[in-house]
Amino acid sequence: MSNVQDIQKKAADAEVRRSFLRSPMVRQYGGIIISLAVLCVVFSVLNPRFLAFNNFMNIVQQVAVIAVAAYGMTYVILLGDIDLSIGSIIAVAGMVAAQAFGMGFGFLPTVLLTLAAGALMGALNGALSAKLMLPSFIVTVATMGIYRGAVSLPTNGAPAMIDNEAWLSIGADSWLGIPIIIWIMAVLFVINHVVLSKSIFGRQIYLTGGNREAAIYSGIRVDRVKIIVFMISGVMAAISGILLSSRLSSAQTNAGMGYELDAIAAVVLGGTSLAGGVGTMIGTILGALIIGVINNGMNMLSVPYFFQLIVKGVVILVAVWLDVRSKSAST
């Protein structure tokens, strides 16, 4: 009798494991979680200090700046568009804050002014693309240069120091033992996840990105959706600029350079399709963690910066190839 019960128990356990492996969450995120775990194991073997708690907290703080920018990029890519200007917007946001403090503005007005600057730059990107029927790639390549040049105008290319204590506390202080910058990343993740997965506007984004003609026939004002999406991307980039400048205690004219590639890589690694209409914020945060682990691990191994660029370029190529391959297999 006990043998029969053992067999039944093993069969039941096997069915539970199969059900777990077939679950949507595992099928959607299992691969990226495994990849993240493998990277952590490899870097910890190559450098035992990689898994130290202090290094872990450092990774997450570095990820926060990329992740917040990637949240905005997720909206854009879900539309089947791209925003290459976010690195420049990050730099502009820091410079706007530095100049505002220099003119005597307080903490809250400076935050609002910085977010408004990000929204304005994002809205310009969206309006140029939507109203002039220009590809977002071309528009944001152009504005990337415009914004990057504009950030150097107030100081002729020199850094601008920030000495506002409240601003600097964002990148330096903790609450309940967790850095404030991580709390901000987590809260913004929840907000953006809810917007995409639970709101009417989120459904409009998915429908517009997945089938623009169907969205138009459904009464969705696709131009309006595009402009708002790019505004969100600009605001998220501005918040990244706040986080970065608070950590650096200054506004750097070269701040955020290359961050657009990290954000795109995080989004695509997280499973968001470059064709639009498919993707989640959960995937984006996991993708950002992978980028953060790669960056930190290579820095700890003293890998030259130009090799790091090569590695991240390869990561983006592989991610895009997998995206194209999965689309081909489903058609």
Side-chain angles (χ1 to χ4, degrees):
M1 188 68 178
S2 60
N3 290 336
V4 174
Q5 291 176 339
D6 289 341
I7 293 173
Q8 290 175 338
K9 185 176 184 302
K10 290 179 180 178
D13 291 343
E15 181 58 32
V16 168
R17 287 193 295 271
R18 284 194 294 269
S19 298
F20 174 73
L21 293 174
R22 289 195 299 265
S23 66
M25 286 291 289
V26 172
R27 293 176 63 183
Q28 188 169 7
Y29 305 116
I32 190 171
I33 292 174
I34 292 172
S35 299
L36 182 60
V38 169
L39 283 171
C40 289
V41 170
V42 170
F43 283 127
S44 63
V45 169
L46 296 174
N47 190 328
R49 292 184 295 112
F50 178 81
L51 289 181
F53 178 76
N54 288 339
N55 187 58
F56 172 75
M57 296 305 292
N58 185 44
I59 291 173
V60 180
Q61 288 185 79
Q62 291 172 348
V63 163
V65 178
I66 297 171
V68 173
Y71 296 159
M73 187 69 80
T74 303
Y75 289 93
V76 175
I77 294 181
L78 279 171
L79 283 185
D81 286 296
I82 203 76
D83 187 353
L84 296 176
S85 70
I86 62 170
S88 299
I89 294 176
I90 288 172
V92 171
M95 187 59 70
V96 167
Q99 297 304 308
F101 285 130
M103 290 186 289
F105 283 73
F107 173 76
L108 184 57
T110 299
V111 170
L112 294 177
L113 185 61
T114 303
L115 297 181
L120 180 61
M121 288 182 282
L124 178 60
N125 288 338
L128 288 173
S129 179
K131 299 302 183 182
L132 299 183
M133 305 294 289
L134 297 174
S136 57
F137 175 85
I138 299 299
V139 169
T140 56
V141 164
T143 56
M144 174 177 65
I146 294 170
Y147 301 155
R148 183 64 67 180
V151 75
S152 299
L153 294 177
T155 62
N156 290 321
M161 302 307 296
I162 298 176
D163 57 5
N164 182 275
E165 291 185 6
W167 191 274
L168 299 181
S169 69
I170 295 174
D173 291 353
S174 299
W175 183 59
L176 300 179
I178 299 175
I180 291 174
I181 194 171
I182 297 177
W183 283 109
I184 293 173
M185 177 187 72
V187 170
L188 288 174
F189 165 75
V190 173
I191 292 172
N192 285 296
H193 174 67
V194 170
V195 168
L196 268 188
S197 61
K198 304 297 182 183
S199 73
I200 294 175
F201 180 64
R203 290 193 289 272
Q204 290 178 342
I205 292 172
Y206 281 109
L207 181 56
T208 302
N211 192 326
R212 181 184 173 88
E213 289 187 5
I216 293 173
Y217 290 139
S218 299
I220 296 174
R221 298 169 61 183
V222 295
D223 287 354
R224 178 173 171 269
V225 169
K226 175 175 280 194
I227 292 171
I228 294 175
V229 160
F230 274 92
M231 284 181 67
I232 293 173
S233 179
V235 170
M236 290 298 114
I239 296 174
S240 289
I242 292 173
L243 301 182
L244 184 60
S245 62
S246 69
R247 293 197 74 194
L248 298 175
S249 304
S250 64
Q252 306 282 339
T253 56
N254 64 346
M257 195 168 287
Y259 277 44
E260 59 278 347
L261 296 181
D262 284 347
I264 293 169
V267 175
V268 176
L269 281 171
T272 300
S273 172
L274 289 169
V278 177
T280 65
M281 284 295 168
I282 296 175
T284 292
I285 190 67
L286 291 173
L289 285 170
I290 284 184
I291 295 300
V293 166
I294 291 174
N295 287 340
N296 181 269
M298 289 194 295
N299 284 333
M300 292 191 72
L301 295 174
S302 299
V303 176
Y305 178 68
F306 50 86
F307 276 125
Q308 296 186 31
L309 291 177
I310 292 172
V311 170
K312 284 191 282 189
V314 170
V315 167
I316 294 174
L317 281 174
V318 171
V320 173
W321 175 73
L322 290 174
D323 176 54
V324 172
R325 188 168 177 266
S326 65
K327 295 298 174 295
S328 300
S330 62
T331 55

